[in-house]
Every structure is written in structure tokens, then in C-alpha cells.
Amino acid sequence: MFNLTPYDRKGNFVFNPFRDFDALERAFFGDDGFTAFKADIKDEGDHYTLEADLPGFAKDDIGIDIENGTLTITAERKTSDDKKDDDGNYVRCERYYGSYKRRFNLDGINEDNISAQLKDGVLKLTMPKLAETAPKSRRLEIH
């Protein structure tokens, strides 16, 4: 495979000790390294809308958990594509496994009223904001 080799202006080879580690990571994890699904968060005034792109995932493949003020979205896909000939020998046997996880802080969110829906590969969460409370102040009387 063709690689570009870095040289300085005088034509000397520039040594990069991390290049081999980068190549190892790309070979093991793929070009993107650890990938996560893309998510957009919009402030809609009285609530936030979180839209996460999860194409190809069924509703049963997605988990949404809330714990200790943190929203965790997980998506996991396991498939197997086995093709056998008439004698029962494999012609092709491929397995796919993908797992994604993202966490979001829920400060200022009413956790009890979060709703979710999945449509056309987009998970949409509506997260209402907590009602703002005016700071309480009072004057103490000296006795």
C-alpha cells in the first residue's frame, strides 16, 4: 500500500515514533477508531430535543437508562449471515456485531417526564426542563 513519507525541507526523513501505533489502531478498530452515533441537542425553550442517528437499529436493540442524573443510550446489533451449499458446507459465513454507547448529563432536566420515539432510524427524546424557581429571600428579625 502506498504511504506518504514525511520529509523536512532539506529532504531528511522525519521520524514519527507514533506512526506505527496509529496504523495498528486503524487496522484493529477501523479508520474511525471508536465510533459513536451522532447526536444533536436543540434548546426548544421549555424543553430540549435530543436526536440520535441510529439507522438500521430496531426498537428492541436500543436501551435508554437514567441513573444518578445521567442519561445513557446504548444500541447493539448482532446479525449472522450464513450461506450453505446443498451438502451443508459453508459458502459464506459472516457475523456482524456493533455496540454503541453515549452518555448525557441531565442537570436541569425533569427526568420523570422524558419521552422517546424512534422513526426512520432517528431516536428522538423530548426532555422537559425543570421549572425555574425564584430564589427565596427573607429578612430575619433580630430579637
Side-chain angles (χ1 to χ4, degrees), residues 5 21 26-27 33 48 91 125 130:
T5 306
F21 290 116
R26 279 192 303 278
Y48 293 103
V91 175
L125 276 72
L130 286 174

Side-chain angles (χ1 to χ4, degrees), residues 77-81 92 94-98:
R77 176 184 4 219
K78 297 178 188 176
T79 60
S80 178
D81 189 14
R92 184 178 78 172
E94 295 182 1
R95 292 166 196 84
Y96 305 99
Y97 176 78

